[in-house]
Amino acid sequence: MAERAVRSLRTRLLAWYVGTSLLVLATVGVAVCWVTWQSRVSAVDAELRVQARRVSGAVRARPGGAFDVELPSDATAYFQQARPRTYYAVWTIRGRLVDQSRPDLGLPAAPVSGARTRGASREVIVGDGELTVLVGRQIDDVREELWSLAGTMALAGTGAMALALLCAWLVASRALAPVQRISETARRMAGGELSARVAVDRTESELGQVADALNLAFDRLHEALERQSRFTADASHELRTPVAMLSAEVDWVLMRERSAAEYREALEACSRVAARMRGLVQSLLILARADSGELSVSRERVRLDLVIDQAVESLRQLSLDRCVRVESAMMPVTVEGDSERLLQLVTNLVLNAVVYSPPDGLVRVALTLEGNEATVRVTDRGIGIEADDLPRIFDRFYRCTSARTCEPGGAGLGLAIAKWIVDAHHGAIACTSEPGCGTEFVVRLPAHQAAGRVPGTGPPPPAPGERAVQGLSRV
């Protein structure tokens, strides 16, 4: 199919080339023939004018109104030649014929001065006030010369056209070879060979840019398909464990009659598993809708410090249960965004910090205004992240080794959702960590403005040159 399409394109290109070349050659040929004709006719006119002046000078008036014409010998020889046939005629001013070189000329009355083509002859008429002299000659030789020139040009043009067509075929084949390679690569990818790429080093000029663009599109397609495949496999893996736990718990209960306490314990276990599955499914749904573009964020002014307070407060009980102290130091800052998504962002980051902190650990949450950016820092003194794991911590379902051994372990979607929320708010998120020493997440969002102090909602903004307010709230 690709080869047939390339052949069709080559044929159309050659047809356009041949048609254009023929038009150019025909135009040039007609122009050359026309210029040659005009040049030769001008030369004949000049020749006839010279002979007309000689005839006019050879006319002598006699008494009684008669005239004698005594041509010099060279002029006589000129008018007596057989080819080209030449002739002359002389009239008085009143139109009376004085003399003519041939009786069979069949000339009409004295014509008007000038040059003209009559039949197969060219004639020049000259008037000197008393006489009108016409000198003419046949121009068959000029026409034969012109036809000979046209034939020569036609033969040369045919040869040039054949050579040009051969060269065009070779050039078109070479120029379309990259197109054929691109088509072949696309066909191989359509057949399932997703790693196939166009050889850019063998593709020239503009087609090289097309090949680069296609390779980039192929890379993204390959990456998207691999991500989708990994996503499906990881989701199946993550769901398999809670489903197995739920099935095992139900099977255990149904094996025989149980006491009310045992039934209650089994139902509570099933409820915990169902809650875990529900959270996983909700996270999957958020990411799937985000990928498809169906999920958007609203744009409204949000007090980011209040959002952080709400997130910290929602995790109070978890931090108490794990004996982790959470401290916050914030200044009031307003951003434009979705308060619900921002709450989810901060909650995910603080939750990670609490979960992966040791007992009696400390988590710090700070909000500052740095230039035109609201900067949120979440710092813990927990287990940390290995350097090899840092580049992938925002990948879906990815959990580093330390995270996999930490309870309660998540599905590896929290940071992926956090990354999407930050990107949707045109911000940036980064992580630095040292194993055994702790981790810091830094989120930067475009700030709308520094909010004024609102009583009871936090400390006032810092004075110029001072640090952000250091008032601490503990949970």
Side-chain angles (χ1 to χ4, degrees):
M1 178 68 72
E3 186 176 354
R4 186 163 59 250
V6 171
R7 284 202 304 267
S8 176
L9 179 59
R10 181 191 296 115
T11 302
R12 289 197 299 270
L13 288 175
L14 290 176
W16 277 102
Y17 177 80
V18 169
T20 304
S21 299
L22 286 176
L23 180 61
V24 171
L25 288 176
T27 302
V28 172
V30 170
V32 170
C33 290
W34 173 255
V35 171
T36 303
W37 168 259
Q38 293 297 323
S39 176
R40 293 293 289 117
V41 167
S42 297
V44 169
D45 289 348
E47 173 190 329
L48 294 177
R49 284 192 179 90
V50 171
Q51 297 301 326
R53 285 194 294 270
R54 299 180 71 180
V55 171
S56 179
V59 177
R60 298 288 184 269
R62 291 188 306 169
F67 293 90
D68 286 335
V69 179
E70 298 178 2
L71 293 175
S73 58
D74 54 347
T76 301
Y78 176 81
F79 287 108
Q80 289 179 352
Q81 63 183 335
R83 183 175 177 83
R85 183 170 180 257
T86 57
Y87 55 90
Y88 72 88
V90 181
W91 291 269
T92 64
I93 194 61
R94 295 180 180 180
R96 181 171 60 87
L97 181 63
V98 174
D99 189 21
Q100 59 182 359
S101 61
R102 297 178 184 275
D104 59 343
L105 294 179
L107 294 171
V112 180
S113 298
R116 67 183 184 182
T117 300
R118 187 170 64 91
S121 300
R122 183 70 176 175
E123 298 175 344
V124 170
I125 301 95
V126 177
D128 61 359
E130 294 181 0
L131 298 173
T132 298
V133 179
L134 179 148
V135 178
R137 60 161 286 186
Q138 290 183 333
I139 53 175
D140 294 339
D141 59 330
V142 177
R143 286 195 170 97
E144 290 174 1
E145 180 182 344
L146 191 63
W147 281 112
S148 177
L149 174 62
T152 301
M153 291 190 63
L155 290 175
T158 301
M161 194 67 202
L163 180 61
L165 186 60
L166 176 61
C167 294
W169 178 271
L170 297 176
V171 171
S173 299
R174 177 177 175 81
L176 293 177
V179 177
Q180 188 167 1
R181 291 198 295 269
I182 291 173
S183 301
E184 178 64 21
T185 302
R187 187 189 63 79
R188 289 162 55 195
M189 287 198 66
E193 189 179 345
L194 299 180
S195 60
R197 295 295 181 271
V198 182
V200 180
D201 56 337
R202 298 173 57 197
T203 306
E204 298 81 8
S205 64
E206 289 78 4
L207 288 177
Q209 301 176 11
V210 174
D212 286 333
L214 286 175
N215 283 340
L216 180 60
F218 293 157
D219 289 340
R220 291 182 177 178
L221 177 61
H222 191 189
E223 181 182 352
L225 292 176
E226 286 190 339
R227 186 168 60 247
Q228 181 181 13
S229 179
R230 286 198 309 269
F231 187 83
T232 303
D234 291 340
S236 301
H237 175 76
E238 293 294 335
L239 286 172
R240 182 175 59 184
T241 300
V243 169
M245 294 172 58
L246 187 62
S247 178
E249 194 70 25
V250 172
D251 290 342
W252 177 82
V253 170
L254 295 178
M255 286 178 60
R256 61 179 177 84
E257 291 292 330
R258 305 289 179 180
S259 65
E262 289 176 325
Y263 280 125
R264 182 178 182 84
E265 182 180 354
L267 289 175
E268 289 176 349
C270 291
S271 177
R272 289 193 296 272
V273 173
R276 179 180 176 184
M277 293 176 62
R278 182 172 61 251
L280 176 59
V281 170
Q282 288 176 346
S283 298
L284 290 174
L285 181 60
I286 289 174
L287 292 173
R289 293 178 63 192
D291 287 342
S292 64
E294 297 178 4
L295 191 62
S296 59
V297 296
S298 60
R299 294 293 176 185
E300 58 183 3
R301 296 183 184 181
V302 178
R303 282 285 299 276
L304 190 55
D305 52 311
L306 301 183
V307 171
I308 296 175
D309 278 339
Q310 184 178 353
V312 171
E313 181 63 26
S314 68
L315 296 172
R316 175 188 296 275
Q317 188 58 49
L318 176 63
S319 63
L320 290 177
D321 292 342
R322 300 184 66 87
C323 299
V324 175
R325 190 169 80 256
V326 180
E327 296 182 353
S328 59
M330 295 177 292
M331 62 183 298
V333 177
T334 300
V335 297
E336 285 192 357
D338 190 318
S339 59
E340 182 179 349
R341 298 301 174 194
L342 292 174
L343 175 61
Q344 186 177 15
L345 164 67
V346 178
T347 301
N348 285 350
L349 296 180
V350 177
L351 175 62
N352 268 2
V354 171
V355 168
Y356 299 130
S357 291
D360 297 326
L362 174 64
V363 174
R364 295 181 181 274
V365 184
L367 171 62
T368 58
L369 182 64
E370 300 179 3
N372 294 324
E373 292 182 330
T375 303
V376 181
R377 301 178 187 273
V378 180
T379 310
D380 65 66
R381 299 176 183 173
I383 57 178
I385 303 174
E386 297 290 339
D388 294 339
D389 293 323
L390 276 177
R392 299 190 58 189
I393 59 173
F394 295 108
D395 292 349
R396 300 171 186 183
F397 292 107
Y398 184 79
R399 287 181 293 167
C400 57
T401 304
S402 57
R404 295 180 189 275
T405 59
C406 187
E407 292 295 337
L413 295 177
L415 291 179
I417 294 175
K419 179 70 165 57
W420 170 77
I421 294 173
V422 172
D423 290 342
H425 285 80
H426 308 293
I429 183 171
C431 175
T432 56
S433 182
E434 184 176 349
C437 296
T439 303
E440 181 181 59
F441 284 90
V442 179
V443 176
R444 302 183 187 277
L445 299 173
H448 181 266
Q449 63 181 19
R453 182 177 181 180
V454 178
T457 60
E466 297 181 358
R467 294 183 58 193
V469 176
Q470 296 298 314
L472 303 179
S473 61
R474 292 180 172 85
V475 295

